[in-house]
Structures are given as structure tokens and as C-alpha cells.
Amino acid sequence: MIMNYSEDLKKQKKELIEDLGVCFETCESMSPLSSRIYALLILTGSHGLTFEELTETLCASKSSISTNLQLLQTEGIIAYKTLPGERKRYFKICDNQLNNRIDKRIEGWEKEKALHSKILKYRENLLELNPEITDIKQGIKFNQLQIDLMDAMITNLKNLKQQIQDN
């Protein structure tokens, strides 16, 4: 499918690829090129892009694109499809990728919440044995606020996932 772009839209897309790429490098620990491929495929949609289109758009060598495509496929982030009568592969985001990312975030929040719960219990026990140490109360309050925040984040992410699945 050929898409039409104005110069402003091309510029906006290029900036988004870079901004998303930096975000994925930082938050998802992706390599710079993998993150740009991922960002470009997010903006492309379900029809995907060919190897040649990726190479041309990202101005990267064929070997670099190939290596990073293999990495993204191995991690289950992208897949490819073929069209009847064509030899080209069209790379696209895996259908379950959004759910996987949400699940990963929920898992991270749950692990951090469990740590805050352990710290909270420790601090409460410490305060019980040492009521004169008043600065422990500030730590207890912090841990409880963090646990409340994480509960809200987990609930919101689960609701988001459900809404996505319902559509």
C-alpha cells in the first residue's frame, strides 16, 4: 500500500521515529537501530514494510537492518508476512505485542510493590521495637504511598488491557 505524505507529515514522522526510538532505547533497553525499526513499524501499521523500505527509510546498511530485524523477531516483537504471488517479506509489529508490553509493565509494578511491602513491614517492625526513632514514620508513609500508587497503576493497566481486548 502506497501512502501519501506532505513534507510536514514526513518531517513529523521522522521526528516521531527518533523520539520513540530514544524512548525505547531508554525504557525497553533496545539497541538504537532496533528501537528505530520498532518505532517505524508502529507508525506504519499492519501492512508492514519491506526490508528495502526499512533500509531506505532508516538510512542504515543492509547488514545492520538484517541483524536488528532478526533480534526483534527473536524477542517476539515483530514478525513478517508475505503476500500471495510476492517474494517480499513485510515486517510488522506482532499482533500480541501491545498485550505483552502491558503484561511486562504490570509484572514490573507488582515486583516493585512486593519490595515496598517488605520494606514497609520491616520498618513497621523496627518502629514497634524502637518507638523513639521517629524518622522511620516518614519512611513508612513513603512506602505506603508507593504501594497505593502501584496498586492504582496495576489496576489501570489491567483495565487498559481489558479495553483493548474488548475492541
Side-chain angles (χ1 to χ4, degrees), residues 82-146:
T82 57
L83 299 176
E86 285 192 34
R87 291 178 45 187
K88 292 182 180 182
R89 295 186 297 171
Y90 292 84
F91 295 92
K92 65 184 194 84
I93 303 296
C94 285
D95 293 336
N96 61 351
Q97 184 56 30
L98 184 56
N99 280 338
N100 291 346
R101 289 189 74 222
I102 292 171
D103 288 341
K104 187 176 174 183
R105 300 253 170 138
I106 290 170
E107 182 181 333
W109 284 114
E110 287 174 340
K111 285 180 181 178
E112 190 169 342
K113 177 186 165 189
L115 286 172
H116 278 283
S117 295
K118 285 181 178 181
I119 295 168
L120 175 64
K121 185 67 176 164
Y122 168 79
R123 285 180 169 162
E124 288 171 341
N125 290 339
L126 188 60
L127 182 61
E128 188 177 316
L129 292 174
N130 302 281
E132 71 282 358
I133 306 176
T134 56
D135 64 339
I136 295 174
K137 292 178 183 177
Q138 185 177 12
I140 288 172
K141 185 173 182 173
F142 170 78
N143 290 119
Q144 189 57 60
L145 289 170
Q146 286 293 102

Side-chain angles (χ1 to χ4, degrees), residues 28-66:
E28 306 289 332
S29 300
M30 289 182 166
S31 72
L33 186 54
S34 287
S35 65
R36 277 27 171 224
I37 292 170
Y38 186 41
L40 177 56
L41 292 176
I42 285 172
L43 297 175
T44 299
S46 62
H47 62 279
L49 291 173
T50 65
F51 181 84
E52 292 77 20
E53 290 169 324
L54 289 165
T55 304
E56 182 182 313
T57 303
L58 296 173
C59 301
S61 71
K62 290 179 179 181
S63 64
S64 294
I65 294 286
S66 180

Side-chain angles (χ1 to χ4, degrees), residues 98-99 101-103 105-106 152-167:
L98 184 56
N99 280 338
R101 289 189 74 222
I102 292 171
D103 288 341
R105 300 253 170 138
I106 290 170
M153 291 298 295
I154 292 166
T155 299
N156 287 335
L157 285 170
K158 287 179 178 179
N159 289 339
L160 174 63
K161 183 178 176 183
Q162 188 60 52
Q163 289 174 13
I164 290 167
Q165 289 172 343
D166 290 346
N167 288 332

